[in-house]
Amino acid sequence: MKQMELRLNVNGETKTWTISPGDLLLDVLRREGYFGVKRGCEKGECGTCTVLLNGRPVNSCLLFAAHVEGQELLTVEGLAAGETLDPLQEAFLEHGAVQCGFCTGGALLSAKALLDRRANPSETEIREALAGHYCRCTGYQKPVEAVLAVARKRKPKIIPEEAA
Ligand code: FES
Ligand code: FES
C-alpha cells in the first residue's frame, strides 16, 4: 500500500512517522506508543480518544492522521512536566475523579483546553466541556468538582479597597 511521511509536533517534540494515507490518527498515535489515547466507540461519541489539535479537543478516531501534517498535538502523556503533574491531574486525583481511568486522559485534555481559553469558567461551561466524555465510574460530578477547584485557585486575587 502507498506510504507517506507525516511530520508533526507531539507534546513539544517533532516527529516524522511513516503512515498510509487512510490511517486514522487514533491508530497512528497508539502504534507510536501514545497509549493514553484510548480506543472506545470509534464513532466520535465517547471522547476517550480525545487529543488537543492546536489547543482544541478533537476525536482522533474521526481524523485521518494525514490531516494533522505540520500541526501540534497534545496527548495526555504531555500534560505532566516530568515528575510534576499538571494541576488538573492533581485535582482529579484529590477529588476522586479517577477511578478506572479509561475516560480520564480525554477528560483532562478537554478541561485543559477550556481553562486555557477561559480563566474562570462557570460550572455550566465545565459541564459543557466535559459533556463529550462518557464516564461509567464517577457519576460525572467529581471531574466537574476537580476542574472547578483548579479554576478557583487560578482566580485573580481580589484586592480589597483601601480603607478611606
Ligand atoms: S473512540 Fe473516539 S470518540 Fe469514542
Ligand atoms: S473513571 Fe472509569 S470511565 Fe471514567
Side-chain angles (χ1 to χ4, degrees):
M1 187 183 283
K2 192 180 162 202
Q3 304 267 281
M4 59 183 285
E5 275 204 344
L6 171 68
R7 279 171 299 272
L8 74 170
N9 185 296
V10 185
N11 302 337
E13 295 177 353
T14 303
K15 302 285 181 186
T16 304
W17 295 330
T18 302
I19 63 166
S20 296
D23 284 350
L24 293 172
L25 182 58
L26 168 64
D27 294 325
V28 172
L29 286 170
R30 289 184 59 85
R31 190 164 75 212
E32 296 296 335
Y34 297 88
F35 297 116
V37 188
K38 301 293 187 201
R39 185 188 307 282
C41 66
E42 298 182 88
K43 293 179 183 165
E45 291 173 2
C46 73
T48 61
C49 66
T50 298
V51 297
L52 299 190
L53 173 59
N54 302 323
R56 296 277 173 183
V58 294
N59 292 322
S60 61
C61 69
L62 297 183
L63 269 184
F64 288 122
H67 179 81
V68 303
E69 168 71 26
Q71 322 250 349
E72 286 190 12
L73 286 188
L74 184 72
T75 73
V76 71
E77 287 88 350
L79 263 188
E83 298 293 306
T84 307
L85 293 179
D86 183 90
L88 279 166
Q89 291 173 305
E90 295 275 11
F92 267 54
L93 290 171
E94 281 167 18
H95 288 262
V98 183
Q99 291 187 28
C100 81
F102 199 72
C103 69
T104 307
L108 282 166
L109 290 168
S110 285
K112 174 176 170 49
L114 173 67
L115 293 183
D116 283 351
R117 68 177 193 277
R118 298 268 302 136
N120 296 309
S122 66
E123 183 170 337
T124 303
E125 288 172 312
I126 293 170
R127 287 187 184 281
E128 283 170 2
L130 297 181
H133 298 275
Y134 290 5
C135 180
R136 297 186 173 206
C137 308
T138 65
Y140 298 101
Q141 184 59 31
K142 290 173 180 179
V144 171
E145 286 169 6
V147 181
L148 261 178
V150 176
R152 285 192 188 120
K153 272 190 201 158
R154 285 181 168 188
K155 266 188 188 168
K157 292 202 170 49
I158 297 166
I159 301 166
E161 284 180 34
E162 281 184 359

